[in-house]
Amino acid sequence: MQNYEKFREYTEKGYLCTMNCTSDLRREALALLKKFYGYQAFRPGQFEIIEAVAAGNDVVVLMPTGGGKSLCYQLPAMMKEGCAVVVSPLIALMEDQTSALVANGIPAAAIHSNRDEAANREIIEAAYRGRIKLLYVSPERLLADLDTWVSHLPVSLFAIDEAHCISQWGHDFRPVYTQLSVLKQRFPSVPVMALTATADRLTRDDIITQLGMENPLRWVGSFSRPNLSLRVVQGASKKQRVATVAQMIRRYPNDSGIVYALSRKGAEDMHATLCAQGFRSVVYHAGLSADERARAQRSFTNGDVQVVCATIAFGMGIDKSNIRWVVHNNLPGNIESYYQEIGRAGRDGLPAETVLFYSYQDIIMRRHFIEESGRPLVATEKLDLMQKYAESTICRRRILLSYFGETAECDCGNCDVCLDPPSRFDGTVLAQKAGSAIIRTGQEVGIMTLTDILRGSVRAEIRQKGFDRIKTFGAGRDLPAPAWTAYIGQMIQLGLFEIAFDEANHLKVTPYGMRAIRGEIKVELSTFTPYTHTPRKQVPKEPPTPVDPVQQLFEQLKAVRKAVAAKAQVPAYVVFSDASLLDMAQKRPSSMEEFMKVSGVGERKGVRYGKRFISAIRKFEGMSASMPQGTSVKETLILHNAGVGLGEIAEIKGISVETVRSHIAQLIDEDMVTTFGNYISRTEYEDIARALASDPEGKTLREKYSFGMISLAKAIMAYHQRAK
């Protein structure tokens, strides 16, 4: 709310369109983009979506995580009269979004149950008066208040975030979302925008039907995230998984990562193990209280911890730009969830790593979950596709893109399959040994027991059932257990065997498998490669100092950002993203003018935080850390052009109000400022001007007005003389 007056002044200067001047829409949208967000150009699809909303059309936006969805509704909200209502499912997500908007100088607020109702009412009143451009609210609250304050609000746009929640075909169905169809009935002339990062064609169609959209623009952005490396590991032990996570933390000591687990216990165990090794970790799952979850998320977003160990309850809407890795300790239930979760890494476009650990035990657990769900057929089909992705021996990115209806013409070169293509061999004899053992046990064993039989294990259960006396007992002693587990998995994938989930997960030989056992067909398998990780003793405790100067400066700027964020009491990514820091390290701006050209540096944040970063860069370059002469006046001009008022300019710059007035007087003398209402009232100006007419030195004024006010009036008088 405190941003409204400055935002309004900017509007009145004519920089901001009211969505009627279509021919100048792009120019004016670009002006907003640069001023408030610090970007010079739109990403693919963003302007087309803004243009559709300007014409009053409904829109469905499907863009990957980090693809710029939020800007698609934030810019139209700023450009249209009234207030945009953003429907968001999580309080933490609302708070993150509004904090980032306010930091950029955009009037935004959220109403929710964690805020006192008196404060909520104050926000609603401000929205009535047009002092808020974006109002975030949960679907439950919006529907509950539809007949009260919502019906009187001057709504410019409804933006439905995480819109896949409305569809029963989606991976995160929430029944309350289906009631949002009432919005088009109650507000037929207000455009509705539905946004999601993960929705297949069926889900997209269902979103349109459920919301009652009228011939909407459908924008499906590219799902390719080439900065994410993709790796799947089958058969890794618990020790190896923990070692991989530890290695990630050491590789990115100043950044963050996420470990997703299938269960709450899995998340707790990983968290405890990492803490025991001295890493800064938090745990997050639905079994914690709301306060505990909020504290964990706050610690993660603020950079107080290196890793969060979580179930799928964590992560929706997390806008943290420096998540450099995501590890899945278990197989996700569907490709949509997997893609959304790995998409939380590398949102800034810089390289990030993803690792998926996978075992058939995950399939069994997932099947149990599906049996308890209300949509077993859909969930089973989606799990099957996820399993095929994990077991694939072709480019993984091509599989992901194909799932979302996008075609890649070549392999990605940044997944494990591309980087280390599997070799193949004739595995017919192995298939015959495994198939024969299954048959000789009466097809009443699972994968682990079959592996033990082939390896010749003499554990009690095998002896009790007499499996140690069958002909194929110990026939595979020459292979380690992880190799047999992997090869049996491939045999299942090839259709030689199947898992009877309704018979205690026992393996059954298929007719196709019988042909292999009889030697009628050849079975080709991919060579098993044992999973390895860098031993802990080979990883230095302290990462070596980067040799590349850009990387050196990049790391130093991260430290500056951390200190600035701590002082401002905001998460580090709210100050600047890693991508912006990297652009600084490459461009090395040594003045405010140069700093304002860095990608992601808007005017408000540029002046608020720029000095610290410029000083660090100048010091790195061997220059004086102090800013060039005249910089302070130029900063004042930037803030004036952004519509920031007198008192806030002084606060942001850490100077007195009198100094700001002297800056403005100087800028008026140079014809760089031509609006004066923020600094001196008409009554004050006329009073001073009359006194100066008889007393040019202004001696009689000094008891009533400050030196800065008198200087301002003199500058304005000279300006009017020049204008004549």
Side-chain angles (χ1 to χ4, degrees):
M1 286 183 286
Q2 67 266 34
N3 285 323
Y4 179 74
E5 295 300 338
K6 282 78 73 178
F7 184 86
R8 184 65 180 173
E9 181 181 344
Y10 181 64
T11 304
E12 290 171 345
K13 287 180 181 178
Y15 294 108
L16 188 58
C17 153
T18 58
M19 299 303 251
N20 295 320
C21 42
T22 307
S23 61
D24 294 329
L25 190 64
R26 179 180 287 274
R27 175 181 61 80
E28 291 159 348
L30 281 170
L32 278 178
L33 184 70
K34 170 57 182 170
K35 179 166 286 290
F36 289 100
Y37 298 89
Y39 299 119
Q40 303 289 345
F42 288 110
R43 294 184 185 182
Q46 287 179 328
F47 180 71
E48 289 80 357
I49 293 164
I50 292 168
E51 196 172 33
V53 175
N57 296 326
D58 296 335
V59 185
V60 176
V61 179
L62 182 62
M63 286 183 178
T65 302
K69 291 187 300 298
S70 299
L71 193 136
C72 292
Y73 64 79
Q74 289 173 0
L75 267 181
M78 294 159 65
M79 300 172 77
K80 289 174 71 73
E81 293 293 333
C83 174
V85 175
V86 184
V87 179
S88 180
L90 297 174
I91 292 174
L93 174 54
M94 297 183 207
E95 290 296 329
D96 283 349
Q97 291 273 13
T98 53
S99 294
L101 286 166
V102 169
N104 282 337
I106 300 167
I111 58 171
H112 51 71
S113 57
N114 282 6
R115 179 172 279 128
D116 181 81
E117 274 306 304
N120 282 334
R121 171 49 59 183
E122 183 181 340
I123 291 170
I124 293 168
E125 290 293 336
Y128 280 153
R129 297 193 299 272
R131 300 176 66 85
I132 292 176
K133 298 305 294 182
L134 291 115
L135 180 63
Y136 287 74
V137 62
S138 71
E140 293 86 353
R141 182 67 183 255
L142 178 65
L143 292 166
D145 294 349
L146 204 57
D147 293 324
T148 55
W149 62 266
V150 179
S151 62
H152 303 294
L153 194 68
V155 182
S156 60
L157 167 70
F158 284 108
I160 316 298
D161 205 5
E162 308 294 349
H164 57 270
C165 295
I166 203 171
S167 174
Q168 294 196 45
W169 302 108
H171 64 283
D172 194 18
F173 173 60
R174 302 189 181 200
V176 68
Y177 261 69
T178 61
Q179 299 175 46
L180 294 174
S181 59
V182 73
L183 296 179
K184 287 303 293 184
Q185 300 167 18
R186 298 285 294 274
F187 300 86
S189 61
V190 177
V192 172
M193 183 185 297
L195 306 102
T196 179
T198 49
D200 55 18
R201 182 194 55 77
L202 194 61
T203 302
R204 295 197 295 269
D205 290 344
D206 200 26
I207 289 171
I208 292 169
T209 301
Q210 293 282 356
L211 288 175
M213 289 180 154
E214 301 174 5
N215 192 28
L217 168 70
R218 303 184 188 210
W219 182 268
V220 180
S222 173
F223 279 80
S224 182
R225 293 283 304 280
N227 63 314
L228 297 184
S229 68
L230 306 171
R231 181 158 57 124
V232 177
V233 178
Q234 186 171 353
S237 66
K238 178 181 178 181
K239 182 178 179 181
Q240 289 171 325
R241 296 176 188 218
V242 171
T244 295
V245 174
Q247 189 179 38
M248 291 284 195
I249 296 172
R250 293 190 187 97
R251 187 178 299 148
Y252 304 101
N254 299 318
D255 297 302
S256 305
I258 305 173
V259 180
Y260 281 108
L262 182 61
S263 65
R264 298 175 186 177
K265 184 179 185 302
E268 294 276 5
D269 287 349
M270 178 63 77
H271 165 65
T273 303
L274 293 175
C275 288
Q277 293 189 16
F279 296 115
R280 289 177 284 116
S281 171
V282 290
V283 67
Y284 187 108
H285 56 67
L288 301 175
S289 68
D291 285 345
E292 289 173 321
R293 293 197 303 272
R295 282 197 299 272
Q297 181 160 328
R298 193 159 51 246
S299 295
F300 180 71
T301 55
N302 288 344
D304 299 331
V305 297
Q306 298 162 295
V307 59
V308 57
C309 302
T311 60
I312 59 171
F314 177 81
M316 181 180 285
I318 290 293
D319 193 22
K320 186 174 168 63
S321 65
N322 67 328
I323 298 174
R324 296 267 70 89
W325 55 272
V326 171
V327 170
H328 281 84
N329 210 26
N330 307 95
L331 187 77
N334 53 69
I335 287 178
E336 291 102 325
S337 295
Y338 173 68
Y339 186 83
Q340 186 175 53
E341 287 154 14
I342 63 172
R344 286 162 190 151
R347 288 178 64 104
D348 51 13
L350 300 182
E353 298 183 55
T354 73
V355 178
L356 165 59
F357 289 111
Y358 160 60
S359 73
Y360 267 88
Q361 188 62 34
D362 295 339
I363 299 293
I364 292 168
M365 288 291 294
R366 289 286 180 192
R367 292 277 182 173
H368 287 317
F369 292 163
I370 287 171
E371 289 172 5
E372 298 172 0
S373 73
R375 300 177 295 153
L377 294 178
V378 174
T380 299
E381 181 182 347
K382 288 180 178 286
L383 178 60
D384 288 344
L385 291 171
M386 186 69 235
Q387 181 181 352
K388 288 177 181 177
Y389 167 84
E391 296 171 346
S392 175
T393 55
I394 66 171
C395 173
R396 299 197 192 279
R397 201 175 316 275
R398 296 183 80 163
I399 298 173
L400 290 178
L401 296 179
S402 175
Y403 182 85
F404 291 107
E406 186 175 346
T407 301
E409 296 183 358
C410 60
D411 291 349
C412 74
N414 197 24
C415 72
D416 53 345
V417 176
C418 290
L419 295 171
D420 187 19
S423 60
R424 300 179 184 278
F425 70 99
D426 185 347
T428 305
V429 173
L430 296 184
Q432 289 170 335
K433 289 179 179 179
S436 175
I438 293 171
I439 292 172
R440 292 173 188 276
T441 59
Q443 303 191 92
E444 294 183 353
V445 294
I447 295 172
M448 299 311 297
T449 301
L450 174 61
T451 298
D452 286 344
I453 291 170
L454 292 168
R455 293 267 301 139
S457 170
V458 290
R459 59 186 175 87
E461 181 188 355
I462 290 176
R463 291 201 307 270
Q464 279 178 351
K465 295 185 177 180
F467 294 156
D468 58 334
R469 296 190 296 275
I470 65 174
K471 187 176 181 179
T472 45
F473 179 77
R477 283 192 178 93
D478 55 325
L479 291 178
W484 268 117
T485 301
Y487 289 141
I488 293 168
Q490 290 185 43
M491 294 171 198
I492 294 169
Q493 186 181 13
L494 291 170
L496 302 175
F497 316 140
E498 62 184 8
I499 301 175
F501 293 101
D502 57 343
E503 295 181 29
N505 307 307
H506 291 157
L507 293 170
K508 308 292 182 181
V509 180
T510 66
Y512 184 63
M514 289 301 301
R515 292 179 61 196
I517 292 172
R518 293 194 296 265
E520 297 173 3
I521 58 171
K522 179 182 177 181
V523 177
E524 192 175 69
L525 300 175
S526 296
T527 305
F528 170 74
T529 303
Y531 175 66
T532 58
H533 65 277
T534 305
R536 183 173 181 176
K537 63 182 180 181
Q538 295 182 13
V539 180
K541 292 183 179 180
E542 294 295 332
T545 303
V547 177
D548 178 18
V550 171
Q551 189 64 28
Q552 286 182 10
L553 180 54
F554 179 52
E555 294 300 329
Q556 289 183 24
L557 293 176
K558 282 185 179 180
V560 173
R561 179 181 62 182
K562 184 176 182 180
V564 169
K567 184 176 180 181
Q569 296 184 318
V570 296
Y573 66 83
V574 170
V575 177
F576 293 120
S577 69
D578 275 11
S580 292
L581 296 189
L582 183 59
D583 199 36
M584 289 179 206
Q586 292 168 337
K587 291 178 177 175
R588 301 188 192 181
S590 59
S591 67
M592 186 57 66
E593 293 95 328
E594 293 173 356
F595 189 73
M596 297 306 298
K597 296 176 182 177
V598 171
S599 177
V601 176
E603 291 180 345
R604 188 183 187 87
K605 288 201 295 188
V607 174
R608 181 182 290 273
Y609 305 129
K611 281 185 179 179
R612 293 287 301 276
F613 291 93
I614 295 172
S615 294
I617 293 167
R618 290 176 64 85
K619 188 175 179 181
F620 183 83
E621 292 283 83
M623 304 165 65
S624 168
S626 60
M627 301 285 282
Q629 191 174 6
T631 295
S632 187
V633 175
K634 290 170 183 175
E635 291 173 355
T636 300
L637 176 62
I638 291 169
L639 289 171
H640 165 81
N641 288 337
V644 180
L646 175 67
E648 194 172 5
I649 292 177
E651 180 188 347
I652 289 173
K653 287 167 56 63
I655 58 179
S656 70
V657 168
E658 281 299 285
T659 303
V660 176
R661 288 194 176 112
S662 68
H663 287 177
I664 296 299
Q666 180 180 335
L667 292 167
I668 293 170
D669 284 336
E670 296 171 3
D671 290 329
M672 300 182 76
V673 168
T674 58
T675 56
F676 322 119
N678 269 358
Y679 313 107
I680 187 171
S681 69
R682 178 177 292 275
T683 301
E684 290 168 330
Y685 168 69
E686 291 176 347
D687 188 26
I688 295 172
R690 281 194 300 270
L692 288 173
S694 58
D695 177 16
E697 296 299 320
K699 295 178 181 178
T700 59
L701 291 170
R702 291 175 188 172
E703 292 184 4
K704 186 175 182 182
Y705 294 104
S706 68
F707 177 79
M709 289 285 280
I710 297 170
S711 298
L712 265 177
K714 287 181 176 180
I716 296 169
M717 290 170 67
Y719 168 80
H720 287 311
Q721 284 294 113
R722 292 194 302 275
K724 289 179 181 179

